[in-house]
Amino acid sequence: MTNPSRREFLSQAGWWTLVGLGGAPAFSMLVSSCATTMTVTSKISTTIGVKTGAIDETKADAIQQNVAEAAKSFKDFTPEQEYYIGRAVAATILSQYSPYLEPDPNLYLNLLAQTLAQFSELPETFNGYHVLTLDSDEINAFSAPGGLIFVSRGMIRCCEHEDALAAVLAHEIGHVQYKHGLQAIRKSRITLAITTLAIKGVKGLGSEKLARLTETFEGSILDITSTLINSGYSRGFEKQADKAALDILDRTGYNPRGLVDMLNVMKKKLKPGGLDFAKTHPSPYWRIATLREYMAGYPKVEKKKARQDRFLKALEGV
Amino acid sequence: MADEPQKNKPGMLEKLKEKSLEGMDKVKSGYAVVEDKLLYASVQVRTGQVRIIPSFLGQVVAKLSYGDRVRVREKKGNWTRVTLPEAGADGWMHKSALTKKKIVLDPGAADVQEEATSKELALAGKGFNEHVEGEFKARHQDFDYFMIDRLEEIVVSQEQITRFLKEGGITPKEDKPFSPEGGVQ
């Protein structure tokens, strides 16, 4: 018997009903439109085009020297622009990973993330926070600017309770809140996007201007996705996101130790040389060590029955 | 003698102090001060929700659109009490939904000129916008924007969040910063 809250959820997100309960045809149609997981570097370089970035860089540098306007930074992107950047980053991630379209885990993750976001420093983004599970055994999670978040099945399996899963999402919300994604964009591209092309071309962009602006856009998306998928953020950014996670967990009413619990499982599961968090994040050992000073005073995570039951039920089969 | 009135009003100094702090807050916040020192802000998200109390748990009394201009009446932590110029409705918005800038929805040449030098103006649809996205989609037809659109359709209501917290035995500590000393109250 479907409980009332779940039914409400499903009718609200009619599409999930279609995908999850509407039978195999819809499901396979959606999945087949996405490539299965593959080596990321090659795909991105070819789809977006590294040479685009190089051209922009030269152009941008030249323009930068001639422009008398004040230097612009990632902070000058409006939430609206951040939204379009985030959608393109998310679309790129989905060209590398298949979504896992079971409704229960996805609905649960969205409920959890949107709850946590209300206790972050950035509860409101242009079009809100949304989460999608990736059908991958890798231990991975990404957040696109503006709040589109992806969590792999492998990552979910590192979580033994809701407080741990909340920590994964809170860490991603932390990256969104601090605009770490936007900070991965080369400064020259930002100048090009914000001061020069964009302002002059705001109304009725000519096709040439639109093409140039789109090249800058592609370059910016490449900057972000190659950071997310290949090189990873700096340790400083990761520490900041971990600290934000503790903050968000504590304010929401979760035990910040959920993050350490997750990292303790992750350190056992991560495979050296893997293309996931093994490559893009500081080691769980380092993260646990840097979090230690904040953990004093927090007891072990207590698995409350109702919370643990719903966690296990929603993620059954993941 | 001259001190007499002050003695009769013990709260005056505090009030004065408050007032000057209030002023400082305005300077710091950077909200545009126009028309007899009225403060205004603009909605910088697609749908801005106005609530009856300064909390997400508060009932939504109005929904505003991107670019809507509101008058700032009061601030409390991360929340701003606003009134809507036309309807006269009154309520609280989270500060992340607002910008001190005036958002121009359909900017013309003069706005473009002004935006280049002014910190008080933001142009809607500037730079990376739906046209750029359209061009980007055309260049990357294998990218799954259909899925992104569906993903954005998943909206969780405040009632669901409230129930989720309650059923999970989770008690939020609103407006309390994270304490390294621990969470045991």
Side-chain angles (χ1 to χ4, degrees):
Chain A
M1 183 74 188
T2 311
N3 68 42
S5 64
R6 181 160 172 269
R7 201 181 303 133
E8 190 184 325
F9 237 131
L10 291 175
S11 62
Q12 196 175 51
W15 172 73
W16 291 107
T17 321
L18 169 85
V19 171
L21 308 173
F27 180 81
S28 57
M29 184 189 77
L30 289 167
V31 171
S32 64
S33 66
C34 297
T36 45
T37 310
M38 62 185 70
T39 313
V40 159
T41 327
S42 62
K43 181 89 192 287
I44 286 207
S45 327
T46 48
T47 48
I48 295 183
V50 171
K51 72 175 196 317
T52 308
I55 290 167
D56 271 356
E57 192 72 342
T58 322
K59 271 187 204 161
D61 288 344
I63 291 164
Q64 204 168 20
Q65 285 164 12
N66 295 328
V67 171
E69 292 146 353
K72 297 274 178 176
S73 79
F74 68 94
K75 289 176 187 160
D76 294 301
F77 282 119
T78 62
E80 185 189 8
Q81 289 167 304
E82 186 178 13
Y83 168 73
Y84 286 108
I85 294 170
R87 278 168 60 83
V89 167
T92 310
I93 289 168
L94 283 186
S95 74
Q96 316 301 323
Y97 292 90
S98 295
Y100 181 69
L101 293 172
E102 287 296 323
D104 283 4
N106 284 300
L107 295 168
Y108 175 67
L109 281 165
N110 275 279
L111 188 43
L112 183 53
Q114 295 189 26
T115 300
L116 291 163
Q118 294 199 338
F119 299 92
S120 75
E121 296 294 318
L122 188 71
E124 311 233 22
T125 64
F126 191 73
N127 205 34
Y129 289 84
H130 307 276
V131 193
L132 185 61
T133 313
L134 300 175
D135 192 3
S136 168
D137 293 331
E138 280 182 17
I139 297 174
N140 232 331
F142 308 103
S143 56
L148 298 179
I149 294 171
F150 299 93
V151 183
S152 71
R153 295 173 72 188
M155 175 62 95
I156 292 172
R157 290 186 212 121
C158 291
C159 303
E160 292 176 339
H161 45 69
E162 188 171 292
D163 294 48
L165 185 62
V168 171
L169 293 168
H171 174 96
E172 294 308 317
I173 292 168
H175 282 309
V176 176
Q177 152 185 321
Y178 288 118
K179 302 187 191 298
H180 288 159
L182 295 183
Q183 293 184 63
I185 303 175
R186 288 187 210 174
K187 287 203 169 59
S188 53
R189 277 200 245 276
I190 296 176
T191 305
L192 203 61
I194 292 182
T195 55
T196 321
L197 271 173
I199 285 181
K200 285 175 189 151
V202 72
K203 214 167 188 188
L205 277 176
S207 61
E208 195 205 333
K209 270 183 188 162
L210 181 60
R212 284 181 61 201
L213 193 52
T214 306
E215 276 170 27
T216 307
F217 185 68
E218 288 181 309
S220 304
I221 303 312
L222 176 66
D223 288 343
I224 298 171
T225 50
S226 60
T227 302
L228 292 180
I229 301 172
N230 296 323
S231 56
Y233 290 125
S234 67
R235 285 186 167 221
F237 278 10
E238 292 303 340
K239 191 177 173 183
Q240 212 177 12
D242 273 348
K243 183 72 201 330
L246 300 183
D247 231 327
I248 293 166
L249 290 169
D250 192 56
R251 266 187 250 153
T252 310
Y254 285 108
N255 189 334
R257 268 193 196 277
L259 180 55
V260 177
D261 285 3
M262 185 281 290
L263 290 167
N264 273 317
V265 179
M266 188 201 273
K267 76 182 183 195
K268 288 180 212 144
K269 293 194 175 206
L270 264 186
K271 295 190 187 92
L275 295 172
D276 47 11
F277 266 39
K279 184 174 150 192
T280 58
H281 279 66
S283 81
Y285 295 93
W286 183 85
R287 291 173 67 189
I288 292 166
T290 60
L291 292 171
R292 194 159 287 139
E293 61 174 307
Y294 304 112
M295 288 301 126
Y298 284 100
K300 273 179 65 175
V301 174
E302 176 200 351
K303 291 182 194 167
K304 291 194 177 176
K305 190 176 183 306
R307 202 186 298 179
Q308 189 63 10
D309 286 353
R310 75 178 177 193
F311 169 83
L312 294 172
K313 187 163 179 284
L315 301 174
E316 202 181 354
V318 172
Chain B
M1 275 311 265
D3 291 335
E4 206 66 63
Q6 277 186 13
K7 274 183 192 163
N8 291 341
K9 294 179 183 173
M12 199 172 164
L13 253 181
E14 278 72 16
K15 272 189 185 153
L16 271 172
K17 210 170 162 187
E18 250 179 52
K19 219 170 166 107
S20 71
L21 282 175
E22 204 176 76
M24 276 181 56
D25 183 46
K26 279 173 192 169
V27 172
K28 272 191 202 157
S29 74
Y31 278 96
V33 179
V34 287
E35 295 173 18
D36 301 316
K37 298 186 179 173
L38 298 182
L39 306 178
Y40 288 91
S42 306
V43 177
Q44 63 171 352
V45 295
R46 187 164 270 170
T47 309
Q49 296 183 323
V50 185
R51 292 168 198 270
I52 202 160
I53 52 167
S55 160
F56 283 109
L57 303 178
Q59 190 198 332
V60 176
V61 291
K63 284 187 181 175
L64 302 179
S65 302
Y66 183 44
D68 279 352
R69 201 95 169 118
V70 292
R71 190 172 154 196
V72 174
R73 309 306 296 250
E74 184 186 346
K75 287 186 196 172
K76 211 179 233 176
N78 291 324
W79 293 83
T80 306
R81 187 165 73 87
V82 302
T83 45
L84 319 181
E86 279 147 41
D90 194 316
W92 294 86
M93 295 184 79
H94 193 275
K95 68 175 184 186
S96 57
L98 295 169
T99 173
K100 63 188 177 181
K101 294 183 178 181
K102 183 178 181 185
I103 297 175
V104 186
L105 287 178
D106 187 17
D111 300 313
V112 171
Q113 194 75 33
E114 195 184 336
E115 201 265 359
T117 51
S118 165
K119 289 225 174 255
E120 286 163 17
L121 215 58
L123 309 182
K126 166 181 101 153
F128 298 159
N129 58 17
E130 58 181 324
H131 301 295
V132 174
E133 180 177 290
E135 183 72 15
F136 182 79
K137 277 183 192 168
R139 292 182 186 196
H140 302 280
Q141 290 183 12
D142 55 325
F143 280 18
D144 197 353
Y145 269 93
F146 175 79
M147 187 64 73
I148 305 298
D149 292 338
R150 299 292 81 72
L151 176 56
E152 287 186 25
E153 281 170 13
I154 309 172
V155 177
V156 173
S157 72
Q158 196 60 51
E159 289 69 33
Q160 287 170 324
I161 290 177
T162 306
R163 199 189 311 140
F164 183 77
L165 288 167
K166 195 174 164 219
E167 287 174 357
I170 301 157
T171 314
K173 303 182 205 167
E174 261 193 295
D175 292 331
K176 271 194 189 162
F178 173 71
S179 145
E181 280 73 49
V184 186
Q185 298 295 305

